[in-house]
Amino acid sequence: MSLPKPRPGILDLKPYIATHGSSKHAKVIKLSANEGALGPSPKALEAYRSVAENLHRYPEGGSANLARAIARKHGIDEARVICGNGSDELIEVIIKAFAGHGDEVVYTEYGFRMFPITTLAHSATPVMAPEKDFTVDLDAILAKVTDKTRIVFLANPNNPTGTYKTAEAVKAFHAKLPSDVVLVLDAAYAEFVSKNDYSAGIELVEQAQNVIMLRTFSKLYALAGLRLGWCYGSPYLIDILNRVRGPFNVNLAAQAAGVAALEDTAFLEKARSHNEKVMPWTVAELEKLGLKVTPTVTNFVLVEFPHEASKNADAALAHLAERGILVREMRSYNLPHHLRFSVGTEDEMQQVIAALKELLT
Ligand SMILES: Cc1ncc(COP(=O)(O)O)c(C=O)c1O
């Protein structure tokens, strides 16, 4: 008996594994998905609740109000913004539009896992470019570009490393990339970066026909549960993506909460300064414990553990989980000695450090 066969690539795909809380603990400290430490803006919550009466209505198909609010905030053209059900959906829309069987999609060694996963789901071939010192190597990406390359994904800053490339380096890299290759600058963590030489990519999108910048409401805006992201591209690319995306791809509640979240600048400043205070404290405490920390410009940090069995990353993961603290293991990135921690509240981070102290000292 023969069974239905999926398209090429699907059976090579290892699904994305998300971490969830175990029921054993009444309160789980979840630091495994780089979510907002302080919860969402109260104004976004209010807007979310306010749409309950209208759930029998379809949402506005093109998320026009939200695109307008995004454009106003960033000083960009609203007609060139597309909103999505998380930036995950937009990653998929981009791949669906530009790559299929026989095409190549380049991503980096420690790039976001959904790049190769979604590439395989569309029967295209993911091509991995190695990184150097946990930092994207732009020359290594160029070396992987062939006449089959359709898309290059560059997460900047990168997840799970937390490192970044400067605006100047990205611009020089783009100049060397063939003009028929789509360059996707995934700036999911842009709002946390305080470096003067960094750019999320708006200027490059405005100068080039083949660049798309991706953003999300899941991180600083702390609306991961609603699923909301957006992208900005040239009129040429935006027209193509709009043909592929679903007609009602962003739900009513996400559109309403997104607009309110954008306007709540006091909350955004609070979330940013929380990270600016708690991240350096966390890094310093981890280093005091003798752990090797990759320098980060984001709200998460990649940490290398000793290799001896009683203190290694597996032992730390289990020790923390025992106490209801969830962090991200890194085996899917071939980093068995590393764990990734996102920044939580001050109290949560104190509990993390206290638990690691117990294990390591
Ligand atoms: C680099 C990067 N891009 C995209 C995403 C997906 O974000 P969203 O929640 O908007 O789908 C993440 C989430 O962790 C990420 O780290």
Side-chain angles (χ1 to χ4, degrees):
M1 187 184 69
S2 63
L3 290 169
K5 267 205 183 70
R7 281 186 291 110
I10 306 249
L11 295 178
D12 301 326
L13 176 170
K14 288 199 189 84
Y16 187 86
I17 300 166
T19 323
H20 287 287
S22 86
S23 53
K24 202 173 108 186
H25 297 274
K27 191 170 180 296
V28 164
I29 298 180
K30 186 162 178 261
L31 305 174
S32 55
N34 307 340
E35 296 152 335
L38 307 180
S41 133
K43 290 190 177 150
L45 268 183
E46 198 183 307
Y48 167 81
R49 291 193 182 106
S50 75
V51 300
E53 303 293 314
N54 289 326
L55 291 185
H56 58 307
R57 301 290 180 207
Y58 280 99
E60 201 287 310
S63 307
N65 279 339
L66 179 58
R68 192 168 310 122
I70 290 168
R72 204 182 310 124
K73 182 158 190 115
H74 292 277
I76 57 179
D77 177 6
E78 68 185 79
R80 293 163 62 184
V81 171
I82 297 181
C83 300
N85 184 39
S87 39
D88 277 350
E89 188 207 7
L90 297 169
I91 292 169
E92 171 144 46
V93 167
I94 294 165
I95 294 174
K96 208 169 168 182
F98 290 99
H101 192 40
D103 296 331
E104 294 178 353
V105 174
V106 181
Y107 69 104
T108 68
E109 189 172 6
Y110 306 118
F112 184 44
R113 267 292 158 267
M114 288 310 290
F115 303 151
I117 289 175
T118 315
T119 298
L120 283 170
H122 289 272
S123 302
T125 306
V127 175
M128 192 262 273
E131 297 193 20
K132 251 192 212 144
D133 299 328
F134 296 116
T135 307
V136 164
D137 179 347
L138 296 169
D139 289 333
I141 299 179
L142 286 172
K144 293 289 179 186
V145 172
T146 69
D147 57 6
K148 290 186 182 157
T149 307
R150 299 285 166 266
I151 308 170
V152 170
F153 278 102
L154 184 58
N156 194 28
N158 203 4
N159 170 20
T161 57
T163 56
Y164 78 106
K165 301 305 285 186
T166 65
E168 209 177 293
V170 174
K171 191 174 172 199
F173 164 75
H174 169 261
K176 293 183 202 153
L177 204 61
S179 61
D180 62 352
V181 172
V182 179
L183 172 60
V184 181
L185 299 173
D186 180 348
Y189 301 93
E191 285 83 1
F192 293 105
V193 185
S194 56
K195 305 276 183 189
N196 291 334
D197 57 1
Y198 170 77
S199 163
I202 288 177
E203 302 80 6
L204 203 52
V205 169
E206 273 161 4
Q207 288 158 21
Q209 291 281 339
N210 64 332
V211 181
I212 300 172
M213 176 189 69
L214 272 182
R215 305 288 285 262
T216 182
F217 281 80
S218 299
K219 310 302 174 182
L220 184 78
Y221 287 87
L223 293 175
L226 269 185
R227 314 303 299 122
L228 187 57
W230 58 280
C231 69
Y232 185 53
S234 62
Y236 174 76
L237 294 180
I238 291 296
D239 171 60
I240 293 169
L241 300 183
N242 263 328
R243 290 165 195 257
V244 175
R245 75 165 172 85
F248 303 106
N249 61 330
V250 179
N251 71 68
L252 200 66
Q255 291 189 30
V259 171
L262 284 163
E263 288 165 359
D264 194 351
T265 47
F267 174 82
L268 295 173
E269 270 322 304
K270 188 171 150 196
R272 202 177 284 124
S273 44
H274 172 80
N275 198 64
E276 273 170 14
K277 178 177 170 203
V278 180
M279 177 57 93
W281 180 86
T282 305
V283 168
E285 292 296 315
L286 291 167
E287 283 176 341
K288 273 191 224 159
L289 293 172
L291 298 170
K292 209 165 153 197
V293 179
T294 306
T296 178
V297 294
T298 65
N299 67 331
F300 60 85
V301 65
L302 184 67
V303 182
E304 184 175 357
F305 281 75
H307 295 196
E308 59 183 287
S310 64
K311 297 180 178 186
N312 68 12
D314 287 339
L317 189 72
H319 183 81
L320 292 170
E322 223 9 72
R323 285 149 188 79
I325 302 169
L326 300 179
V327 300
R328 189 74 150 84
E329 59 104 17
M330 289 284 114
R331 270 182 210 284
S332 59
Y333 288 91
N334 227 354
L335 295 172
H337 300 298
H338 286 75
L339 297 176
R340 191 194 66 195
F341 295 70
S342 27
V343 161
T345 63
E346 287 185 43
D347 178 54
E348 288 172 339
M349 298 323 285
Q350 276 162 11
Q351 291 189 52
V352 169
I353 298 299
L356 289 177
K357 240 179 222 162
E358 274 170 23
L359 180 79
L360 298 170
T361 56

